[in-house]
Structure formats: structure tokens, C-alpha cells
Amino acid sequence: MIGDISPPVTSIPVVEGNEELRKPQNLIPPFSKVVSHFGISGISVALATGVTHPLDVVKVRLQMQHVGQRGPLIGMTGIFLQLMKNEGRRSLYLGLTPALTRSVLYGGLRLGLYEPTKVSFDWAFGSTNVLVKIASGAFAGAFSTALTNPVEVVKVRLQMNPNAVPIAEVREIVSKEGIGALWKGVGPAMVRAAALTASQLATYDEAKRILVKRTSLEEGFHLHLCT
């Protein structure tokens, strides 16, 4: 889980007679641990996305209502009832495929990159204080969002068009608007993801460190739950 990696050191002095030898240490976590973080995190976020996706569809419809026009705005309940009446229950899961794809990639990347980034900062600056954790989370979130923004754009387009097909929508976007259109809104999305990931992971990591230091909790389910 997050925060399991001890602060790295470039070497450990070993004194033998009059000679001081240096024992090299790995500066990055084991590849198996990174893969484990990526897989478990991605699957977890995908499961959560599957449950909450109808709310995301309603949110997008709320944000996009009356685009380019004036008129009284409809609230969340009104949008929900309108969707159910005009497009049926399936409309609540429009764009689910790209949403799950993004969840696996974004969720896995932002959590999977956090530890290696923190370890790299520790190697570069010799510290893993809370500011380093915040910076590591911000980088992981922003970088992950930059990579997965095209999937987010396709998801939103599908949520607005019940007849659209993912691959056909990608082709239409690229042919009519150019490939750059797949990164529309990437700036605000990166800022949001940086703030969100930094606040979540740095808080989690620091809370876990304090619990380990000041309580009898040891690595395991109860420690992660309390954190």
C-alpha cells in the first residue's frame, strides 16, 4: 500500500578494518510492487466508477445544458427524470467503457507513480517531509491526467450523445477538430488532479507515518483503515 517504502539511501557505509566500503541500495521500489500498486489501484477506481457512473452522467448533462442558448436551468433531479423519461435507464451508463478505461489507467498511474516519485525526490533532495509528499502527489496526478485526457474527452462526448460509438467518436473528433481536440480542457483537469491527488496521498501517507510512530498499529488492514 501507499507509504510502505522506507526512505532510500544511495549507500550504506560498511567499515572493514581501515577501509570504508559502500554498499549500494536500490533507489526505486521493486518493479513487482509498482505493478501491484498500479493493478490494485486501477481495479479499485474502476469498481468505484462503475457504481457512481450515473452521477457522472447527470453531472455532465447539468454542465452542458442550454449550451449556446438561454433558458431556465434544470436541477439535478430534473435532469435525472428527464434522462429516464426520454432516453431510458441505459442512458445513466452512457460512456461507461471509456470511463472504466480511464479509471484503470488514471487510478493506476496516479497511485502507482506516487511512491517512485517520492523516492526520486528523496534521492534528489534528501527528504521525505510532507512538502515532498505533496509535490509527489501533485506530479503523479497531473501527469496521469495529461496522459488520460483523450479518454475523458471521449467519455464526455458519449455521455452527451446516446447514439455515439467510442471508436467512431474518436475518428470524428480527430477528422473534424484535429488531434489536439483530444486534449481539450487538459490544463484545468491537470490542476484539479494535482490538487486532489496531493491532498489525498500526502494526507494518507503522513497520517500513516504518525499512526505507526505514536500507536501500536502495525502494517496491515487495520492501519490502512484507520489511516
Side-chain angles (χ1 to χ4, degrees), residues 17-223:
N18 294 327
E19 296 182 0
E20 184 182 88
L21 303 177
R22 290 198 171 270
K23 188 177 180 181
Q25 296 288 310
N26 290 328
L27 294 176
I28 58 175
F31 180 72
S32 60
K33 178 163 288 195
V34 174
V35 172
S36 174
H37 281 178
F38 179 92
I40 294 172
S41 302
I43 291 171
S44 300
V45 175
L47 289 173
T49 296
V51 173
T52 60
H53 190 73
L55 292 173
D56 191 53
V57 174
V58 173
K59 179 206 74 174
V60 169
R61 291 296 182 97
L62 278 168
Q63 291 174 330
M64 297 299 292
Q65 65 177 306
H66 303 321
V67 172
Q69 302 175 359
R70 292 182 179 274
L73 295 176
I74 305 173
M76 177 177 172
T77 302
I79 288 289
F80 175 79
L81 294 175
Q82 191 180 79
L83 275 169
M84 294 291 287
K85 179 182 178 180
N86 298 335
E87 301 176 38
R89 295 180 181 179
R90 293 184 63 181
S91 64
L92 296 176
Y93 287 91
L94 290 171
L96 181 61
T97 300
L100 292 177
T101 302
R102 180 185 181 275
S103 295
V104 172
L105 296 175
Y106 170 72
L109 281 170
R110 77 181 189 122
L111 296 180
L113 287 173
Y114 174 70
E115 285 291 354
T117 303
K118 189 176 69 171
V119 170
S120 299
F121 281 167
D122 183 28
W123 173 72
F125 304 109
S127 174
T128 54
N129 61 31
V130 69
L131 294 179
V132 168
K133 294 172 183 177
I134 291 172
S136 300
F139 171 80
F143 182 78
S144 302
T145 292
L147 288 180
T148 59
N149 197 75
V151 189
E152 176 73 9
V153 170
V154 174
K155 182 206 74 170
V156 172
R157 297 292 182 97
L158 293 177
Q159 288 174 332
M160 292 301 298
N161 184 1
N163 299 316
V165 178
I167 298 299
E169 190 66 27
V170 172
R171 290 173 179 168
E172 185 174 356
I173 292 172
V174 173
S175 63
K176 292 184 177 180
E177 305 174 47
I179 196 168
L182 293 174
W183 275 271
K184 280 185 175 180
V186 69
M190 288 176 67
V191 173
R192 177 183 181 274
L196 183 67
T197 307
S199 60
Q200 287 178 334
L201 300 192
T203 301
Y204 175 94
D205 208 350
E206 192 67 12
K208 181 182 174 185
R209 183 190 67 79
I210 293 171
L211 285 172
V212 169
K213 183 178 179 180
R214 299 187 180 181
T215 71
S216 59
L217 288 171
E218 297 180 353
E219 184 64 38
F221 174 76
H222 292 96
L223 173 61

